[in-house]
Amino acid sequence: MNMNNREINRLLSTDSQGDDLTEKQKRIVESAIEMFSEKGFSASSTSEIARRAGVAEGTIFRHYKTKKDLLLAIVTPVMSNLVAPFIVRDLDKVLKQEYEHYEDFLKAMVRNRHDFIRRHLPIVKILIQEIPFQEELRSQFINLVAKDIYRRFEKIVIHFQEKGELIQVPPSSVIRLSISSIIGFFFARYIFLPENEWNEEEEINITIQFIMNGFKAR
């Protein structure tokens, strides 16, 4: 993954102006993103990050007290400046549309998220790998993204239940199992088995049919 200085400043700026990072900080951040994405937070060491960045390990600790501080320095502004507004704004293209069937909505949502993941894969991998284990990141994601998306998703599910297209179960169950199946596809595709040969269109269709077989009214 190659990121230029402008991209790093844009991702990590915490206000509208954004304080420029030093050249060494930019190299540290870029190396940390690469390492966390490739190996995960726990398996990455500050010595490896320093070596890849071409700086002394002590330089990292002059800017970031701990490895976790480095992770949060990367992910927290990214969550606020890129992920939260981009996910919400980008998903608006899906959520604001009217669909004849729930299956059509699922297809649009999966393809929209698939495109987003491919364009921001290193950061997305860090978020996927670390949100379940880092309370600060989990709280940020819930507050900045999940609550808003859940409310809007719920309205769509209720709409199709009222049309008689989906079975009458709690909307939360439809949302939970739909999202679990979709995330399962993305986990397999990009985290567990990225080297496999994937027929992505076929796998997306299979995933959606699996969901519909469980929730479509007979």
Side-chain angles (χ1 to χ4, degrees):
M1 177 197 67
N2 295 314
M3 297 193 310
N4 60 40
N5 289 345
R6 180 182 298 177
E7 287 174 321
I8 293 173
N9 284 334
R10 179 176 63 85
L11 289 176
L12 302 185
S13 61
T14 54
D15 54 46
S16 58
Q17 299 299 317
D19 295 326
D20 287 341
L21 302 174
T22 67
E23 287 301 317
K24 285 185 178 180
Q25 280 180 289
K26 290 169 187 173
R27 295 204 302 273
I28 291 168
V29 166
E30 181 176 356
S31 298
I33 291 173
E34 291 174 348
M35 291 291 297
F36 293 157
S37 174
E38 293 169 8
K39 301 179 67 174
F41 173 74
S42 296
S44 300
S45 69
T46 52
S47 61
E48 290 177 293
I49 293 170
R51 185 162 54 252
R52 185 175 292 200
V55 301
E57 188 175 9
T59 303
I60 293 178
F61 294 114
R62 282 202 295 273
H63 295 290
Y64 310 99
K65 293 181 180 179
T66 66
K67 185 174 69 168
K68 186 172 182 179
D69 285 341
L70 175 56
L71 172 69
L72 294 177
I74 292 168
V75 176
T76 295
V78 167
M79 189 88 75
S80 300
N81 297 336
L82 174 66
V83 175
F86 196 93
I87 284 179
V88 173
R89 185 177 68 247
D90 203 40
L91 265 178
D92 273 347
K93 300 171 188 175
V94 175
L95 296 172
K96 287 184 176 179
Q97 297 293 320
E98 293 186 5
Y99 299 94
E100 186 175 356
H101 303 293
Y102 185 62
E103 181 175 352
D104 299 328
F105 162 69
L106 288 178
K107 287 179 180 178
M109 185 176 68
V110 172
R111 290 185 176 120
N112 175 276
R113 294 301 81 199
H114 195 202
D115 182 56
F116 176 83
I117 289 171
R118 282 187 294 195
R119 285 185 283 125
H120 301 88
L121 184 58
I123 292 293
V124 169
K125 286 180 70 175
I126 294 173
L127 293 173
I128 288 174
Q129 290 166 352
E130 302 308 327
I131 282 176
F133 306 105
Q134 306 290 344
E135 177 59 33
E136 297 95 329
L137 301 185
R138 189 161 59 250
S139 296
Q140 288 176 33
F141 184 80
I142 290 171
N143 291 326
L144 293 172
V145 179
K147 288 181 178 178
D148 181 55
I149 298 301
Y150 178 87
R151 286 193 296 268
R152 299 170 74 180
F153 205 143
E154 184 179 42
K155 290 180 180 178
I156 292 171
V157 170
I158 292 172
H159 167 72
F160 285 110
Q161 286 182 323
E162 291 175 347
K163 283 184 64 176
E165 185 170 318
L166 300 179
I167 60 175
Q168 294 300 315
V169 297
S172 59
S173 297
V174 180
I175 295 170
R176 175 173 54 83
L177 293 170
S178 295
I179 291 177
S180 296
S181 298
I182 292 167
I183 290 177
F185 161 67
F186 289 136
F187 257 93
R189 171 64 183 86
Y190 291 106
I191 304 297
F192 297 139
L193 301 168
E195 296 85 8
N196 279 21
E197 292 187 9
W198 285 84
N199 184 331
E200 293 178 345
E201 190 65 23
E202 181 180 4
E203 291 295 333
I204 288 171
N205 287 332
I206 290 172
T207 300
I208 291 171
Q209 287 308 309
F210 176 80
I211 296 168
M212 293 306 302
N213 287 340
F215 291 117
K216 189 172 183 179
R218 301 299 190 266

